[in-house]
Structure formats: structure tokens, C-alpha cells
Amino acid sequence: MEAIPDSQFDIEEALVSYMVELNTATGFHLMRVAEQGLRILAHKMRPKVSLTHKGHIIAIDYADWEKVITAIKNQITTARQAPVGAKRQAQLEKFSDAADHCVFTKDIWRNIVSHARKPYNAAEALAVLERVRDFMLFISKESARTRNKKYEN
């Protein structure tokens, strides 16, 4: 994906793993791709997501999934307090859907593969592939919109 070059290695590894039926490896690499998307989403939130650990500010890139997801959800809660209107509604729909996607991905697939709870079968590998693809397409489109707005101004 050109819009998210940091994920290219894991995208390729996931696809090769899937082609040779290494289903758990497919899931592992796709979770790394999804993590890139999660971090990009956190960076795009306005006002910016800030994270702390034991009272110290930490960079989004070094926080665990739970902290990043919680911070994104907190930003959504803050956005709900903004004046009612089309802009607020559009932002809430967009980021709420993305945040929920991250929660489900973490709970359904990420924790299983990262904590060696069970191997993936072919159907699960395909489901992860489709879900992460959809999430990354969303992130990629949002990145493109942001770039286009910069050039329009």
C-alpha cells in the first residue's frame, strides 16, 4: 500500500504466508499491519491523542494497543460534546467505526496470535485478511483526503 509504506513488508509476508497456507503466520503479519493502521488513526485524531504510562507522556508508536484504543475512544467521547451538526456527526461515525474495528481486531485476532493461544485455520486467516484489508483501505483513504486538503489550501 503506497499510502502506508511502513506496512509493506508485513503485507507481503502475510500474502506469501496465506498463499502457502501458513495461516497463523498470515494472522501474525496482518496484526502488525493493523497495528500500523491503529497508530496512524491515533495520529490523525484532532485534538491529538496523548498517552501516558505511570504519569509520563509516551509516544503513540511505543504504546500498547489497549492504551492507544482507550485514548482514541476518549477523543471520541470528547467529540460527542461538540455542537451538534453534520461535521460532528461525520467525525463521530468515521472514528467510532474505526475504533470499534480496532477493539474487535485486538480481541478476536490479535491477542490470540500474539499470546500463542491457538493456531489459525484457513477460514480464520481469510477473515483476518479481509478485515485488515478493509481497515487499511479506510486508513489509506483518510490519509489521501488529508494530503489532498493540504494541497487545496
Side-chain angles (χ1 to χ4, degrees), residues 84-138:
V84 175
K87 183 178 178 181
R88 172 187 175 256
Q89 186 61 35
Q91 280 193 320
L92 285 174
E93 287 175 13
K94 175 174 55 177
F95 290 117
S96 293
D97 183 48
D100 282 345
H101 175 90
C102 294
V103 170
F104 294 136
T105 298
K106 179 179 91 51
D107 291 342
I108 295 170
W109 292 300
R110 188 254 178 211
N111 289 346
I112 290 169
V113 75
S114 296
H115 300 294
R117 294 194 178 131
K118 72 175 190 125
Y120 286 167
N121 62 37
E124 291 166 327
L126 179 60
V128 174
L129 182 67
E130 291 171 346
R131 184 123 172 136
V132 172
R133 177 203 60 208
D134 292 346
F135 178 59
M136 296 307 283
L137 285 172
F138 166 80

Side-chain angles (χ1 to χ4, degrees), residues 7 9-35 105 109-110 112-114 118-133:
S7 64
F9 171 79
D10 285 297
I11 290 170
E12 291 171 4
E13 291 289 308
L15 293 174
V16 169
S17 296
Y18 184 73
M19 287 187 303
V20 297
E21 299 179 5
L22 294 173
N23 300 313
T24 301
T26 301
F28 173 80
H29 286 289
L30 288 169
M31 289 305 96
R32 288 174 47 99
V33 172
E35 186 168 333
T105 298
W109 292 300
R110 188 254 178 211
I112 290 169
V113 75
S114 296
K118 72 175 190 125
Y120 286 167
N121 62 37
E124 291 166 327
L126 179 60
V128 174
L129 182 67
E130 291 171 346
R131 184 123 172 136
V132 172
R133 177 203 60 208

